[in-house]
């Protein structure tokens, strides 16, 4: 071998060694973690939306595409005191790896303050972001950064958020940031928007303002209450979950040390509490669009661990087999579901407190394109399910409407609350190889921590 060849070979071998090292580093460590939580999104919510997307809209879900390419597990979520959880305990268990009491935020069952994965990431100099379609003071985002004994302490959660230095905070429930004198809900007279500005936050209140924001720290509060259901959002000034996710990645992605971001589809749960299949599907689709944005980022930045899961199942949702007239095993009626005009919120507002039979017929025709029989109108007026099981069918009118719609849409609901159904947990990127089998939601903390190399 002549000298020239030797030099070329030596360079080639060094290159191979360097490449192997960098690939090993990629395989082992995540610079960024994006955790996406569909609140209340049980396997049936995902499955029904997938049916709707593939068979009615003619497109696949990005979420199931990631399942195919990445790793998938079943995840259970029992707490220190219950086999069925709510969002606060579920978020804290994912964020800290400790089983906690229902409705507590960032506090262990022994009263100890728990450190979250977001706080650990921040200590290591990483940027952080919390995004949701419900309220930023709501249980899931709060579980990553706040420490209060009960999730209902939203005024205190808002204070802790403003002091938290989380770079990107996007969502609703502005009311907990402003005093009662300015139509907010704060009894202490404080205006936390002004305090946030003093702490270096750029405060934005519409999708357009959000897109124009240039700050390193942005607080976006887009509604006094929860943000709108996706099915009702058209024509409003609110950004979509995908737009918020894109903006957050633009801000956080600039950070040399990487970031931690939690994105929640927060209203899937609310829709399911009210047996609203139209709002469930459109909010899961909106969540899927946000997953697309995150997945595109992950593909361009492979040192990112992208995890998708849910905190709990809501509603005991199932696909039913039959109709009174069609063949026995026909399944969900996607065509009828595609005709739903808006969420239960608009429908219930139009129905009012004690609607007449005529009004019930009109409103049900408008929202679901169905002509009710006299018997169905009577069921809605009398609401017998609520009398039989007030704990599980307490939402006024909705249980009766759902029992009328179940033959039409062929979906059923077991409860207006949460269930203990196992969930899907899936992801892609460094550390995702540990996502397999039968996992508890506390293990998600360890998976994220080890992916970072903390
Ligand atoms: Zn809920």
């Amino acid at each position: 071998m002549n000298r020239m060849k030797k030099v070329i070979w030596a360079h080639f071998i060094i290159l191979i060694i360097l490449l192997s090292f960098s690939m090993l580093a990629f395989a082992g460590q995540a610079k960024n973690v994006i955790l996406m939580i569909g609140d209340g999104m049980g396997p049936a919510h995902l499955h029904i939306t997938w049916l709707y997307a593939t068979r009615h809209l003619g497109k696949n879900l990005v979420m199931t595409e990631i399942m195919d390419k990445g790793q998938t597990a079943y995840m259970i979520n029992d707490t220190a005191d219950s086999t069925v959880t709510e969002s606060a305990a579920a978020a804290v268990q994912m964020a800290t790896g400790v089983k906690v009491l229902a409705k507590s935020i960032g506090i262990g069952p022994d009263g100890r303050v728990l450190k979250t994965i977001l706080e650990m990431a921040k200590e290591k100099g990483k940027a952080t972001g919390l995004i949701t379609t419900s309220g930023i003071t709501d249980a899931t985002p709060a579980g990553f950064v706040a420490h209060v004994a009960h999730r209902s302490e939203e005024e205190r959660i808002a204070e802790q958020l403003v002091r938290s230095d989380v770079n990107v905070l996007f969502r609703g429930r502005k009311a907990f940031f402003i005093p009662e004198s300015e139509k907010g809900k704060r009894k202490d007279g404080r205006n936390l928007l002004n305090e946030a500005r003093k702490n270096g936050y750029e405060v934005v209140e519409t999708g357009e303002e959000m897109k124009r924001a240039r700050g390193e720290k942005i607080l976006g509060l887009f509604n006094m209450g929860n943000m709108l259901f996706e099915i009702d959002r058209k024509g409003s000034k609110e950004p979509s979950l995908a737009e918020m996710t894109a903006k957050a990645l633009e801000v956080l992605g600039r950070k040399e040390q990487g970031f931690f971001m939690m994105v929640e589809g927060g209203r899937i749960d609310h829709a399911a509490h009210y047996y609203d299949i139209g709002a469930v599907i459109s909010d899961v689709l909106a969540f899927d669009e946000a997953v697309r944005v995150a997945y595109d980022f992950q593909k361009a930045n492979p040192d990112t661990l992208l995890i998708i899961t849910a905190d709990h199942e809501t509603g005991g949702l199932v696909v039913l087999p039959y109709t009174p007239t069609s063949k026995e095993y026909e399944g969900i009626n996607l065509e009828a579901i595609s005709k739903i005009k808006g969420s239960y919120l608009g429908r219930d507002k139009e129905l009012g407190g004690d609607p007449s039979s005529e009004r019930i017929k009109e409103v049900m025709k408008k929202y679901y394109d169905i002509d009710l029989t006299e018997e169905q109108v009577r069921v809605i007026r009398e609401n017998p399910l609520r009398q039989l099981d007030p704990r599980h069918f307490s939402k006024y009118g909705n249980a009766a409407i759902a029992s009328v719609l179940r033959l039409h849409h062929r979906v059923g609901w077991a409860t207006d609350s949460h269930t203990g159904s196992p969930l899907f947990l899936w992801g892609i990127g460094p550390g995702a190889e540990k996502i397999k089998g039968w996992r508890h939601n506390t293990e998600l903390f360890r998976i994220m921590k080890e992916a970072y190399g903390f």
Side-chain angles (χ1 to χ4, degrees):
M1 202 183 284
N2 66 30
R3 193 165 171 275
M4 193 61 183
K5 269 191 181 162
K6 273 184 191 160
V7 170
I8 291 171
W9 267 107
H11 275 92
F12 184 67
I13 288 163
I14 289 168
L15 188 68
I16 294 289
I17 291 169
L18 283 174
L19 271 175
S20 317
F21 270 118
S22 64
M23 280 168 78
L24 269 178
F26 265 147
Q29 284 214 337
K31 180 176 154 191
N32 315 306
V33 173
I34 304 172
L35 173 61
M36 305 192 72
I37 300 174
D39 195 330
M41 188 178 73
H45 303 63
L46 182 66
H47 172 227
I48 287 173
T49 307
W50 176 83
L51 286 171
Y52 191 80
T54 53
R55 302 196 183 168
H56 188 80
L57 302 176
K59 64 170 194 178
N60 200 6
L61 291 182
V62 182
M63 290 193 278
T64 47
E65 189 188 321
I66 297 173
M67 268 189 193
D68 284 339
K69 298 201 171 123
Q71 294 277 124
T72 306
Y74 257 114
M75 187 174 85
I76 49 167
N77 56 3
D78 56 297
T79 64
D81 57 346
S82 173
T83 48
V84 176
T85 188
E86 42 70 63
S87 297
V92 173
Q93 291 190 172
M94 290 189 253
T96 69
V98 177
K99 271 195 187 184
V100 296
L101 299 172
K103 303 197 176 179
S104 65
I105 304 243
I107 310 265
D110 53 358
R112 189 165 52 99
V113 171
L114 303 169
K115 190 179 277 187
T116 70
I117 189 74
L118 180 146
E119 290 165 331
M120 287 178 180
K122 200 144 70 68
E123 277 178 11
K124 301 279 183 187
K126 292 185 186 291
T128 53
L130 291 173
I131 298 169
T132 177
T133 43
S134 65
I136 201 74
T137 52
D138 195 16
T140 308
F144 286 82
V145 76
H147 303 275
V148 295
H150 196 281
R151 59 183 284 181
S152 62
E153 298 173 59
E154 292 200 56
E155 285 185 56
R156 281 191 61 209
I157 294 170
E159 279 168 50
Q160 295 184 3
L161 282 170
V162 165
R163 283 202 310 264
S164 68
D165 264 345
V166 171
N167 300 73
V168 179
L169 292 163
F170 288 157
R171 260 20 194 100
R173 299 201 195 171
K174 189 170 83 182
F176 292 100
F177 291 75
I178 53 180
E180 287 179 323
S181 61
E182 294 168 45
K183 295 194 176 120
K185 287 193 175 172
R186 294 200 72 82
K187 296 195 187 339
D188 59 8
R190 287 166 68 179
N191 183 321
L192 295 188
L193 299 189
N194 292 337
E195 293 181 28
R197 287 188 187 99
K198 274 184 209 143
N199 283 347
Y201 279 101
E202 191 170 346
V203 177
V204 297
E205 298 185 38
T206 66
E208 280 309 309
E209 285 177 17
M210 179 192 78
K211 280 178 195 159
R212 286 198 301 270
R214 288 286 166 267
E216 283 287 293
K217 282 163 68 179
I218 309 174
L219 171 62
L221 293 165
F222 305 108
N223 196 312
M224 286 297 259
N226 292 314
M227 289 181 73
L228 296 170
F229 285 114
E230 183 65 21
I231 200 169
D232 300 331
R233 191 176 64 85
K234 207 164 166 227
S236 82
K237 290 182 172 170
E238 294 185 8
S240 68
L241 187 60
E243 287 167 338
M244 293 195 289
T245 304
K247 183 68 189 186
L249 287 171
E250 176 196 315
V251 176
L252 304 178
R254 291 198 287 257
K255 190 85 170 181
E256 189 80 24
Q257 296 93 321
F259 63 83
F260 172 83
M261 172 164 89
M262 192 285 294
V263 180
E264 182 195 33
R267 304 222 66 198
I268 301 163
D269 167 70
H270 299 165
H273 276 290
Y274 287 84
Y275 321 111
D276 187 336
I277 194 64
V280 163
I281 291 173
S282 55
D283 266 62
V284 175
L285 286 171
F287 183 66
D288 194 63
E289 284 301 317
V291 171
R292 178 193 304 284
V293 171
Y295 187 35
D296 285 346
F297 180 91
Q298 197 279 333
K299 282 189 277 191
N301 302 272
D303 52 355
T304 302
L305 171 61
L306 170 61
I307 297 175
I308 304 149
T309 190
D311 50 357
H312 53 74
E313 197 269 358
T314 305
L317 178 61
V318 286
V319 174
L320 297 174
Y322 52 79
T323 76
T325 51
S326 68
K327 63 180 185 188
E328 187 181 1
Y329 293 110
E330 189 164 309
I332 193 165
N333 188 344
L334 299 169
E335 185 61 32
I337 287 172
S338 75
K339 292 187 179 138
I340 299 175
K341 289 290 181 314
S343 76
Y344 74 92
L345 283 173
R347 178 199 73 198
D348 286 1
K349 205 169 161 193
E350 292 196 39
L351 281 173
D354 184 20
S356 66
S357 298
E358 270 322 297
R359 190 76 191 130
I360 290 171
K361 278 188 188 168
E362 274 169 33
V363 173
M364 293 297 283
K365 177 78 182 167
K366 178 177 167 186
Y367 278 82
Y368 305 105
D369 194 32
I370 53 174
D371 297 301
L372 296 186
T373 63
E374 292 307 319
E375 183 60 20
Q376 288 170 327
V377 172
R378 195 178 64 75
V379 167
I380 291 175
R381 284 200 63 149
E382 292 176 6
N383 195 4
L385 279 169
R386 187 165 173 243
Q387 294 156 30
L388 278 174
D389 184 357
R391 283 292 297 241
H392 284 89
F393 297 99
S394 64
K395 309 269 190 277
Y396 178 70
N398 289 287
I401 291 172
S403 66
V404 167
L405 291 175
R406 67 187 258 140
L407 295 180
H408 198 63
H409 296 148
R410 291 172 233 142
V411 296
W413 304 90
T415 171
D416 66 15
S417 190
H418 303 169
T419 75
S421 163
L423 308 161
F424 288 127
L425 163 67
W426 69 109
I428 196 160
E433 64 280 356
K434 290 175 188 145
I435 299 175
K436 60 181 178 180
W438 187 253
R439 303 266 70 86
H440 190 268
N441 66 358
T442 48
E443 291 176 81
L444 196 46
F445 167 76
R446 180 176 52 80
I447 290 170
M448 295 189 286
K449 189 168 162 274
E450 287 175 6
Y452 275 136
F454 292 170

